Amino acid sequence: MNKEYRLTQRKGRSVQVMYSGTDRWISTGQKDVRTAELWAEANKKVYILSGGDAVKLKNFATDFWTRTDPKSIRKRHERLKKTKTELYYVQMNGRVKNYINPALGHHRLTDITSGMVEDWFLSLKKLDGGEMADDTKNKCLDCLSLIFDEAERRGLCESNPCGKVEKISVEHKECVPFSAEEMGILFPENDVEAVEVWGTLKWTCFFHIMRSTGFRPGEIAGLQRSDFYPELAGIYTTSSVNSYERKIVERIKT
């Protein structure tokens, strides 16, 4: 028997678990004992540290985006065929670590109200104290809302307090193109001067291609000699480099 929890199962029903130090049975949602044990192991930190009832946000959210057990958000995405990139999960985990847990993590899930979430949301700042972009604030709210959706699904809170908090209407700033004079400074006709601007011949070529073609950075990084077509006096993009994984992806977005 595992000293940290006990399992029980009634005929035809899901396996239930009772964690050490708690006094209630919790459904694992699994009818197979082995799968239920995996669920119990994956969730024991949340329930044991919280005493089984008063679950604090930080106990539930800290590894929410990094876990890979059957009940994790990653596995749910896989089952729903909504798998995200690794960078997505890394960024979400960073929002929990840097912005959510420091401000709200010490509160119990059941104590966090819409008002508390809104106050936190509207007062978000960068780690250095600078102003945070409205779109970034909205992504932090999305991150917290997804965590509460799962907490509500598990019966750890009655509702998602983020649901009543309105996102900020993002006003995109108009992009102003470089003037002809500015482009002349960035891309001088003399090759020696151009290398002085960009540092090395490699980066000089990289940004000249970007200016001339409109290719994305990853598409330029994925170019090969075979992508140059002398008869057409041009290059053709067929692959892209994933900047996070440093791997060539045999596809492009457009």
Side-chain angles (χ1 to χ4, degrees), residues 4-207:
E4 296 178 310
Y5 58 82
R6 292 184 293 156
L7 298 177
T8 186
Q9 184 178 29
R10 297 180 182 178
K11 186 176 181 180
R13 300 185 64 177
S14 298
V15 178
Q16 292 182 307
V17 59
M18 179 183 288
Y19 289 98
S20 175
T22 70
D23 58 1
R24 69 186 181 103
W25 291 99
I26 302 164
S27 175
T28 65
Q30 310 296 324
K31 293 189 176 181
D32 175 69
V33 174
R34 179 54 186 156
T35 307
E37 288 177 345
L38 294 174
W39 187 95
E41 286 290 336
N43 290 277
K44 67 183 180 183
K45 183 173 70 172
V46 172
Y47 289 98
I48 293 176
L49 292 180
S50 66
D53 292 306
V55 180
K56 290 184 177 181
L57 174 60
K58 64 181 179 181
N59 292 339
F60 186 72
T62 296
D63 59 355
F64 184 83
W65 299 100
T66 57
R67 287 175 21 234
T68 56
D69 59 273
K71 287 289 185 177
S72 67
I73 189 71
R74 288 171 174 249
K75 291 300 181 182
R76 177 173 294 107
H77 284 164
E78 288 182 13
R79 290 193 293 271
L80 297 176
K81 301 187 185 300
K82 294 182 179 179
T83 304
K84 312 291 185 180
T85 65
E86 183 63 24
L87 181 60
Y88 169 85
Y89 298 109
V90 170
Q91 290 175 333
M92 283 297 204
N93 187 58
R95 290 173 186 128
V96 171
K97 178 181 178 181
N98 296 323
Y99 303 111
I100 294 175
N101 274 349
L104 299 171
H106 61 287
H107 291 290
R108 298 185 301 180
L109 290 168
T110 52
D111 291 341
I112 298 176
T113 65
S114 295
M116 292 168 63
V117 172
E118 186 171 66
D119 289 343
W120 160 79
F121 172 55
L122 296 178
S123 63
L124 279 170
K125 300 283 186 181
K126 291 182 178 179
L127 293 179
D128 61 5
E131 289 299 316
M132 180 182 288
D134 291 338
D135 186 51
T136 304
K137 288 183 179 180
N138 287 342
K139 289 177 180 177
C140 289
L141 180 62
D142 285 336
C143 178
L144 181 61
S145 184
L146 288 168
I147 292 171
F148 266 106
D149 279 343
E150 180 61 19
E152 182 182 355
R153 184 180 294 111
R154 296 194 190 185
L156 300 178
C157 61
E158 292 186 3
S159 61
N160 182 349
C162 301
K164 295 182 180 179
V165 179
E166 289 190 52
K167 289 184 180 180
I168 300 173
S169 297
V170 179
E171 297 180 359
H172 296 285
K173 296 181 179 179
E174 182 180 358
C175 294
V176 179
F178 287 116
S179 66
E181 291 76 16
E182 291 170 329
M183 289 296 284
I185 295 173
L186 288 172
F187 300 100
E189 293 185 6
N190 183 287
D191 289 345
V192 175
E193 294 179 2
V195 171
E196 290 179 355
V197 172
W198 298 106
T200 65
L201 181 60
K202 179 184 74 172
W203 288 114
T204 301
C205 294
F206 184 96
F207 287 105

Side-chain angles (χ1 to χ4, degrees), residues 224-247:
Q224 304 176 61
R225 289 182 180 273
S226 57
D227 294 325
F228 172 57
Y229 292 82
E231 64 275 16
L232 299 177
I235 56 178
Y236 186 80
T237 177
T238 58
S239 61
S240 179
V241 172
N242 181 305
S243 59
Y244 179 76
E245 298 179 351
R246 305 284 183 177
K247 294 180 180 179

